[in-house]
């Protein structure tokens, strides 16, 4: 070999060896999930046997270098098994590292049980060990982790008349309507089901988490057939459903709490049994059957499908037991499907809820309505910049024609095509609406629901429940009223009534009109006037408006004599606006004169500048701030129908009385606050919390004072004191608290025989505290009669039994009330029973 050849040969060998050493001083590649090949970030990379990571990846790719030779790399991430890779000159670049979800060492062997198995304790149950891992990795909705997000929602709500048979189809009511059964379909039980209502909606969701949290749900299209103008069906359809998160401890159905089978306290309610391992959309999953330990409790039964690697809930089924104790409901079933993009979050993929409703019987063969709602979520997009204008409310979003779309649009927009029966709903209802008999049935249904009877286009008579009343002053009383009503979204409305008392032989009246200029911010004006007999002092934070809630003459049966009534002449004007969603600013201007409607038995007389006066003249302006965070509504007109939610109500009011304005007698300032909130407490039921506080800063007569609200009727009146007489407590400064808890049968379900009645228990306590100045006492003629609960907190307590009735109609409630203190007063009632109807689930 020549010298030059040796030189070149040595050079080539040196360069080759150097390249080998260089390759083993660096390495690069990417880290992916072994199951789905998705790139993984936040992975710690260790070189050789070091215990300190040299790198924590910010994306799926990695690149590391070292001063020494790299012969091994280790990759570590929480919830994944540690992965080690030997590094050689041949594999140092473009590495593909696949991490597998960490296997739980405590679950060494999975025993599959097809039958319910009894374990000495839950720790012996392999399902318990699996659920422990689910709780340890409790996931949150993935929408919260991104700066911005958008997605599409397709919702379909369908009502079917169920369990129809030939005898039912031949009833006289269906004469000339029998063609509807051409659209019926046979069920698995051999009965017939007839689609009667179908609503399809498409929404675009927009969300922002940073720098500030904003959300918007934009209705893109809606198509409705079947009872589309009927308030009962339409509102019921929307009110039936709540959004649920299977990982929460409590699931909200009908604003009733059901314990979640995936909740951390699930084993206190359910028995779990690992039955199989199955494949769900290509993923291996544990199939766990669960069922309530006691059939009488409000709980579900069904299956959980838990990913064997990540312990995420892939799917879940929830079905009520045969002993479900919810009014008008025979059964509930829900199917949930989730997508799990990573080991910390989930995204909803599909929800299907089916509710069987019947008013009479819980038998499986009973005629019923099946209400089914399916929701598909798709087109998720994250971290795309969103303009602030996206979250701005726009006028066109509230236009009635905004959601009108062509048939071709719906064909392309639906994730699945409609079934033959679903398509038939549109055709069937078009034919029905041209049938006079069907329209009469709808009219009857609307009358019962709205309490108004439509006499001609745009004119309703009612409310029908206020036609008759009775009290000490008026005796028997007849009240007839009417309102304008063209559509659910009317931008204006006029209402009026006339009443006559056969004892006092006096006519009364009231009229009010409202007009809304803008559907977006609900800018509205209105005004009205009335002359009537009314019961003041039954509300603290009173509602403004001429035709707002009144207790004038609705009491037919009462405890003691209800003679403390007032004669009120009032004229009011108002304007209101919602500058932000669910936040209303309202300004009312009112002038009124108030005097006793029963001077011989009830005095409102007072001293003013040494003169004895029997009529209080008042002019005042009230500014109200009303917040309803989380509330949802159906319509966009002057009247809205609220969907059932757990939204709180927060009211702050300031009232300024102006002496001399329209002959007003007093200057005064009043501040009032109210907070109301329903609270779900898991399987223990629901608490209703109502707190009110207020202060009169000036001296005013009894007619303008704060009256701690009593209830001398035998009926149930919310946020009143059952054992207080009217005007028993009067206060310049006051605070009241009402706490009422509904146990939903939690206690009575343990009692043999009683539990078969499906009764539910209610417990409550009420308290009031306040003060009344000497000046406020002295201004009234009967100054010694009026006092405040200032010695100690006045309180009442008691319990009630609700859900009284038969079949699925259990709407009667009885309360047993005890007065806690101030027992030495004259004519007090230490114990009382109240009863009434309570409509709800």
């Amino acid at each position: 070999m020549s010298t030059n050849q040796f030189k070149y040969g040595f050079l080539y060998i040196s360069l080759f060896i150097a390249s080998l050493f260089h390759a083993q001083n660096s390495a690069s590649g990417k880290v992916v999930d072994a199951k789905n090949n998705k790139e993984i970030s936040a992975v710690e990379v260790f070189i050789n046997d070091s215990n300190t990571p040299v790198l924590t990846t910010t994306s799926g790719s990695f690149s590391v270098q070292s001063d020494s030779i790299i012969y091994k790399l280790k990759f570590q991430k929480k919830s994944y098994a540690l992965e080690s890779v030997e590094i050689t000159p041949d594999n140092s670049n473009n590495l593909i590292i696949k991490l597998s979800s960490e296997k739980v060492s405590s679950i060494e062997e999975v025993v599959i049980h097809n039958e319910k198995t009894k374990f000495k304790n839950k720790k012996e149950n392999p399902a318990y060990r699996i659920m422990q891992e689910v709780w340890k990795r409790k996931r949150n909705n993935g929408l919260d982790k991104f700066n911005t997000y958008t997605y599409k929602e397709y919702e379909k709500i369908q009502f079917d008349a169920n369990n129809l048979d030939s005898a039912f189809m031949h009833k006289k009511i269906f004469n000339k309507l029998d063609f509807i059964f051409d659209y019926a379909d046979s069920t698995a039980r051999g009965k017939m089901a007839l689609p009667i209502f179908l609503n399809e909606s498409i929404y675009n969701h927009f969300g922002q988490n940073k720098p500030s949290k904003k959300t918007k749900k934009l209705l893109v299209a809606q198509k409705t057939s079947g009872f589309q103008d009927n308030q009962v069906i339409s509102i019921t359809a929307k009110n039936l459903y709540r959004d649920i998160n299977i990982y929460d401890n409590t699931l909200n159905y009908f604003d009733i709490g059901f314990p979640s089978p995936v909740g951390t306290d699930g084993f206190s309610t359910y028995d779990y049994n690992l039955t199989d391992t199955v494949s769900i959309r290509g993923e291996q999953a544990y199939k766990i059957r669960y069922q309530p330990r006691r059939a009488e409790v409000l709980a579900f039964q069904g299956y959980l499908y838990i990913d064997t690697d990540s312990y995420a809930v892939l799917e879940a089924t929830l079905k009520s037991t045969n002993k479900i104790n919810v009014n008008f409901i025979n059964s509930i079933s829900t199917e949930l499907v989730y997508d799990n993009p990573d080991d910390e979050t989930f995204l909803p993929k599909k929800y299907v809820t089916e509710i069987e409703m019947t008013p009479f019987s819980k038998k499986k063969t009973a005629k019923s309505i099946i209400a089914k709602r399916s929701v598909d979520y798709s087109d998720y997009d994250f971290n795309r910049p969103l303009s602030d204008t996206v979250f701005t409310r726009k006028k066109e979003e509230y236009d009635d024609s905004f959601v009108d779309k062509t048939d071709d649009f719906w064909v392309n927009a639906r994730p699945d095509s409609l079934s033959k029966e679903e398509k038939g709903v549109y055709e069937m209802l078009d034919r029905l609406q041209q049938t006079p008999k069907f329209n009469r049935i709808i009219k009857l249904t609307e009358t019962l629901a709205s309490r108004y009877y439509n006499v001609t286009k745009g004119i309703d008579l009612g409310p029908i429940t206020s036609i008759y009343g009775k009290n000490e002053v008026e005796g028997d009383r007849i009240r007839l009223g009417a309102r304008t009503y063209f559509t659910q979204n009317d931008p204006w409305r006029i209402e009026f009534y006339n009443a006559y008392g056969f004892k006092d032989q006096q006519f009364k009246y009231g009229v009010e009109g409202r007009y809304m200029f803008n559907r977006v911010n609900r800018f509205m004006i209105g005004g009205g006037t009335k002359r009537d007999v009314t019961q003041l002092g039954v509300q603290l934070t009173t509602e403004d408006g001429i035709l707002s809630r009144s207790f004038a003459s609705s009491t037919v049966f009462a405890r003691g004599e209800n003679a403390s009534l007032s004669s009120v002449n009032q004229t009011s004007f108002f304007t209101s606006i919602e500058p932000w969603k669910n936040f209303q600013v309202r300004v009312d201007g009112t002038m009124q004169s108030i005097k006793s409607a029963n001077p011989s038995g009830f005095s409102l007389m007072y001293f003013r500048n040494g003169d004895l006066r029997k009529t209080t003249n008042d002019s005042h302006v009230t500014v109200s701030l009303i917040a309803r965070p989380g509330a949802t509504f159906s319509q966009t007109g002057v009247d809205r129908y609220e969907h059932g939610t757990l939204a709180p109500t927060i009211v702050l009011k300031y009232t300024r009385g102006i002496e001399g304005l329209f002959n007003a007698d007093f200057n005064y300032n009043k501040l009032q606050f109210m907070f109301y909130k329903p609270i779900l407490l898991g399987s223990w039921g629901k608490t209703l919390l109502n707190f009110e506080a207020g202060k009169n800063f000036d001296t005013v007569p009894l007619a303008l004072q704060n009256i701690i609200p009593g209830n001398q009727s035998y009926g149930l009146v919310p946020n009143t004191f059952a054992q207080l007489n009217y005007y028993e407590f009067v206060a310049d400064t006051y605070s009241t608290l009402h706490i009422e808890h509904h146990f939903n049968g939690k206690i009575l379900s343990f009692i043999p025989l009683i539990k078969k009645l499906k009764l539910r228990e209610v417990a409550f306590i009420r308290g009031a505290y306040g003060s009344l100045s000497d000046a406020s006492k002295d201004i009234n003629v009967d100054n010694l009669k009026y006092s405040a609960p200032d010695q100690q907190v006045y309180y009442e307590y008691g319990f009630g039994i609700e859900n009284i009735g038969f079949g699925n109609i259990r709407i009667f409630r009885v309360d047993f009330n005890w007065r806690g203190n101030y027992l030495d007063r004259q004519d007090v009632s230490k114990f009382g029973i109240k009863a009434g109807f309570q409509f709800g689930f």
Side-chain angles (χ1 to χ4, degrees), residues 445 484 789-790 802:
T445 306
T484 61
D790 53 1
E802 61 183 353

Side-chain angles (χ1 to χ4, degrees), residues 623-681:
V623 179
S624 303
L625 306 179
I626 305 169
R628 296 296 319 283
T632 57
F633 302 90
S634 288
Q635 277 76 47
T636 59
V638 288
D639 291 318
R640 295 188 296 181
Y641 296 94
E642 183 175 350
H643 296 183
T645 66
L646 297 175
T649 299
I650 306 169
V651 179
L652 181 64
K653 299 181 67 170
Y654 169 72
T655 302
R656 168 65 177 173
I658 306 173
E659 183 179 1
L661 181 64
F662 299 109
N663 203 33
D665 297 326
F666 295 95
N667 277 321
Y668 63 91
N669 298 273
K670 178 189 287 190
L671 190 64
Q672 294 176 288
F673 173 78
M674 185 192 78
F675 176 82
Y676 169 78
K677 179 75 170 78
I679 304 170
L680 289 185
L681 297 178

Side-chain angles (χ1 to χ4, degrees), residues 92 108 147 223 299 310 312 472 509 587 713 745 765 773 792:
S92 59
E108 297 176 351
N147 293 339
K223 187 174 184 179
S310 65
E472 293 291 328
Y509 64 85
V587 178
S713 76
I765 186 168
S773 68
Q792 54 187 313

